[in-house]
């Protein structure tokens, strides 16, 4: 190879190590499944039966025992308390006070009342009981006697009464006849409702002849010169795009 085409001091050389641009596959990124254990075992390998210890039952998940917070007395055995007598020292009791009997001057016979002698009957005015406190009886001024004058008497006979009514405009000389509705106010009933209905005729729309209404392409819509199925086709060439093994892929997800 001529050295006239090289520019500068750089010359092509063999790569020292593998370059990621040379590989189209992910390579050693994905590890093969293991052949040991139960989790993620290789399905292509034989797997021996595996046994595990079961989990704790739900009834034992909570702590139901009292724990070491309770101190068992030493005299408690598996059959109950032992029969050894136990003695303790009590405090010194207080001296008993003697009962002080009252003398003759402590009594007042004059205040004995009815329990010691007879007395005349005595009466007093007691207070109103609780049942009459909520009794709101109306007084004499709460009632109004009916009137004895006029036509609306209740327990008295009244004389005949006459009143003067207002003048009526209907049928009088000053009646406004312009407010009377005219002939156009009333709706005329269709005679067919109470008589025989005559025949009715109407003019229908124009009917078109049946046919195919779809649009057909004309002779100018076809291109016989582009047909290559029934005849030979000349070779065609196109310019391809330039490829490089070192072109990085397009990264769409960009962190903010």
């Amino acid at each position: 190879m001529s050295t006239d085409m090289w520019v500068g001091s750089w010359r092509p050389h063999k790569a020292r190590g593998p370059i990621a641009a040379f590989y189209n596959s992910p390579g050693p990124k994905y590890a093969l499944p293991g052949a040991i254990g139960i989790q993620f075992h290789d399905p292509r390998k034989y797997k021996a039966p595996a046994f595990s210890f079961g989990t704790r039952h739900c009834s034992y998940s909570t702590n139901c025992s009292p724990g070491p917070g309770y101190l068992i007395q030493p005299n408690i055995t598996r059959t109950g308390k032992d029969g050894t007598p136990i003695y303790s020292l009590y405090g010194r009791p207080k001296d008993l006070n003697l009962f002080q009997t009252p003398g003759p001057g402590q009594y007042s016979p004059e205040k004995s009342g009815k329990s010691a002698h007879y007395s005349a009957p005595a009466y007093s005015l007691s207070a109103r009981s609780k049942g009459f406190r909520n009794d709101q009886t109306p007084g004499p001024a709460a009632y109004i006697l009916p009137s004895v004058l006029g036509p609306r008497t209740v327990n008295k006979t009244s004389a005949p009464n006459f009143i003067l009514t207002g003048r009526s405009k209907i049928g009088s000389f000053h009646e406004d006849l312009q407010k009377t509705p005219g002939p156009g106010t009333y709706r005329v009933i269709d005679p067919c409702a109470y008589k025989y209905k005559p025949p009715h005729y109407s003019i229908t729309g124009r009917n078109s002849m049946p046919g195919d209404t779809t649009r057909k392409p004309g002779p100018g819509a076809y291109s016989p010169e582009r047909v290559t199925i029934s005849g030979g086709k000349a070779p065609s060439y196109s310019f391809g795009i330039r490829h490089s093994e070192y072109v990085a892929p397009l990264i769409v997800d960009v962190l903010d």
Side-chain angles (χ1 to χ4, degrees):
M1 183 182 293
S2 178
T3 59
D4 296 337
M5 61 180 298
W6 304 109
V7 179
S9 59
W10 182 87
R11 297 293 182 271
H13 60 278
K14 187 177 180 180
R16 298 180 181 178
I19 300 177
F22 285 143
Y23 302 97
N24 296 327
S25 62
K29 179 179 179 182
Y30 300 95
L32 296 176
I36 300 175
I38 302 177
Q39 299 292 337
F40 305 104
H41 190 274
D42 192 354
R44 299 171 298 176
K45 302 294 183 180
Y46 175 76
K47 183 171 64 173
F51 304 96
S52 61
F53 292 95
T55 59
R56 187 182 296 272
H57 195 266
C58 60
S59 61
Y60 297 99
S61 59
T62 57
N63 189 7
C64 300
S65 61
Y70 298 90
L71 179 61
I72 301 177
Q73 299 180 2
N75 60 345
I76 300 298
T77 62
R78 63 184 181 87
T79 58
K81 292 185 178 181
D82 56 354
T84 307
I86 300 174
Y87 304 96
S88 61
L89 298 178
Y90 291 94
R92 178 174 295 178
K94 296 181 179 180
D95 296 336
L96 297 177
N97 295 326
L98 299 177
F99 180 72
Q100 297 180 2
T101 304
Q106 296 292 332
Y107 300 97
S108 300
E110 66 279 0
K111 297 180 181 180
S112 58
K114 299 180 181 180
S115 59
H117 55 84
Y118 294 98
S119 61
Y123 303 96
S124 62
L125 295 177
S126 61
R128 187 187 293 259
S129 61
K130 295 181 179 180
F132 293 94
R133 292 182 180 179
N134 298 328
D135 189 8
Q136 299 178 0
T137 305
Y143 299 97
I144 299 176
L145 297 177
S147 176
V148 295
L149 299 177
R152 298 181 180 179
T153 56
V154 179
N155 54 355
K156 300 293 182 182
T157 303
S158 61
N161 299 297
F162 303 95
I163 57 175
L164 297 176
T165 59
R167 180 177 295 175
S168 177
K169 294 182 180 181
I170 300 175
S172 62
F173 65 93
H174 66 285
E175 182 181 2
D176 190 3
L177 299 178
Q178 293 182 356
K179 297 180 179 181
T180 304
T185 307
Y186 301 97
R187 184 175 61 86
V188 179
I189 301 176
D190 189 5
C192 297
Y194 55 90
K195 292 184 178 182
Y196 292 102
K197 184 177 181 181
H200 293 75
Y201 304 95
S202 62
I203 300 176
T204 59
R206 179 175 297 178
N207 297 326
S208 59
M209 294 299 293
D212 190 4
T213 58
T214 58
R215 300 179 63 182
K216 305 297 188 299
Y222 301 96
S223 300
E225 67 277 0
R226 297 182 181 180
V227 178
T228 59
I229 298 177
S230 59
K233 179 181 179 183
S236 57
Y237 304 96
S238 62
F239 291 95
I241 60 174
R242 186 182 299 274
H243 295 277
S244 176
E245 298 180 355
Y246 299 96
V247 177
L250 178 61
I251 300 176
V252 180
D253 299 334
V254 179
L255 297 177
D256 296 336

